[in-house]
Amino acid sequence: MTSDPKLNNYPKASNGLVYGGILVYVGGLFLLVSFASPYWVESFEKTFIEFKNMGLWEYCFEHMRFPNHQLDQLFDGCHFIYSHKYHVIRECLLPGWLLAVQLFVTLAFLLSFGSQVIIALVVVRYPLNFILDYEWLLTIIVAVCNAVASFLLFVSTLLFFSQSSRRDWLMYPNFNHLSWSFYFAVISFFIHAVASRVLYKDARRAYEMKQENKNLLMQMQPPHGTNGYV
């Protein structure tokens, strides 16, 4: 019983592809933690102010009264930003720039984890024939996804850094500081940028190798109509 040599001796994933994939997953892990955790801004421990911490999707208060709120209502505990609890003060908690940060980070999250699915299939060579034919194209798609995700994270973190100390957003901004969730997003930005560079170089290598193999195959074929004889 014979088997297809292509199924047994197919080229394995290159080191550049494997290392790039590892970077994509590490960057995605940092992004996931930053995306879900409520510690983009946190109050200093010894200030004892009503605001405690916030993330992209959650705010935490301790017996907080908003001065511009018509009803004398206390906001206490941690709640989802789009929950009914924060319905009456949502405009104060979600200025336009923060909505933009939410959008950009969400798009980066989708691009990052979508590219992780593709890179996993390329590394494990499944489906085999499709991957062998289009490895360079899939790798360049992953590289572009990570480059765009890195750019979106750069814009998001820069925008958040420049706007988070505004006095018309949270009261007493001098008592607050950027916290570890924000820095995880910054780290994720750098890792995605490096991953996109590594994968782009590997995509070029795969494309050049494919072209060389194609040219070699054409040279080995006899000219049309000669039947292999000169």
Side-chain angles (χ1 to χ4, degrees):
M1 182 177 179
T2 61
S3 59
D4 189 350
K6 189 176 182 180
L7 297 179
N8 296 324
N9 301 316
Y10 61 86
K12 308 296 183 180
S14 66
N15 290 335
L17 188 63
V18 173
Y19 295 150
I22 292 174
L23 287 172
V24 172
Y25 275 87
V26 173
L29 180 60
F30 275 94
L31 179 56
L32 173 62
V33 175
S34 174
F35 185 81
S37 56
Y39 287 95
W40 281 59
V41 173
E42 189 176 8
S43 63
F44 289 107
E45 186 176 355
K46 296 183 180 180
T47 55
F48 302 106
I49 63 175
E50 292 85 356
F51 168 75
K52 295 304 177 184
N53 55 274
M54 62 80 60
L56 295 180
W57 314 103
E58 187 175 343
Y59 277 79
C60 297
F61 298 108
E62 184 176 348
H63 304 298
M64 179 73 167
R65 281 188 174 90
F66 273 75
N68 297 329
H69 184 41
Q70 296 179 354
L71 301 178
D72 186 18
Q73 181 177 352
L74 283 174
F75 297 93
D76 192 52
C78 299
H79 300 279
F80 180 51
I81 186 61
Y82 293 104
S83 66
H84 181 72
K85 183 72 174 179
Y86 291 149
H87 174 72
V88 294
I89 58 172
R90 189 170 299 142
E91 291 185 2
C92 299
L93 300 180
L94 274 180
W97 63 266
L98 185 54
L99 286 171
V101 171
Q102 286 182 335
L103 174 62
F104 293 156
V105 176
T106 300
L107 291 175
F109 180 85
L110 294 175
L111 287 170
S112 176
F113 280 85
S115 67
Q116 289 181 34
V117 175
I118 299 176
I119 199 68
L121 294 176
V122 175
V123 170
V124 301
R125 297 319 210 213
Y126 181 84
L128 178 60
N129 291 332
F130 181 80
I131 296 299
L132 294 180
D133 290 338
Y134 299 102
E135 177 181 354
W136 70 270
L137 180 59
L138 295 172
T139 306
I140 200 68
I141 290 174
V142 174
V144 170
C145 286
N146 280 270
V148 175
S150 176
F151 174 75
L152 291 172
L153 288 173
F154 170 74
V155 174
S156 301
T157 52
L158 182 62
L159 181 60
F160 193 89
F161 175 80
S162 63
Q163 300 295 315
S164 60
S165 59
R166 292 174 61 107
R167 294 184 179 276
D168 59 352
W169 177 44
L170 293 174
M171 295 185 295
Y172 313 116
N174 293 336
F175 296 160
N176 305 325
H177 63 93
L178 296 172
S179 193
W180 59 267
S181 295
F182 169 81
Y183 294 112
F184 268 41
V186 175
I187 294 172
S188 181
F189 146 63
F190 281 108
I191 295 178
H192 279 91
V194 175
S196 66
R197 177 63 177 170
V198 172
L199 291 170
Y200 174 73
K201 292 178 65 176
D202 190 80
R204 287 189 58 183
R205 178 204 58 78
Y207 178 75
E208 292 171 357
M209 182 177 296
K210 183 178 180 64
Q211 292 300 111
E212 290 178 1
N213 293 337
K214 183 178 180 180
N215 293 335
L216 181 61
L217 182 62
M218 292 180 64
Q219 292 175 8
M220 293 176 62
Q221 293 178 349
H224 180 69
T226 63
N227 294 323
Y229 297 97
V230 178

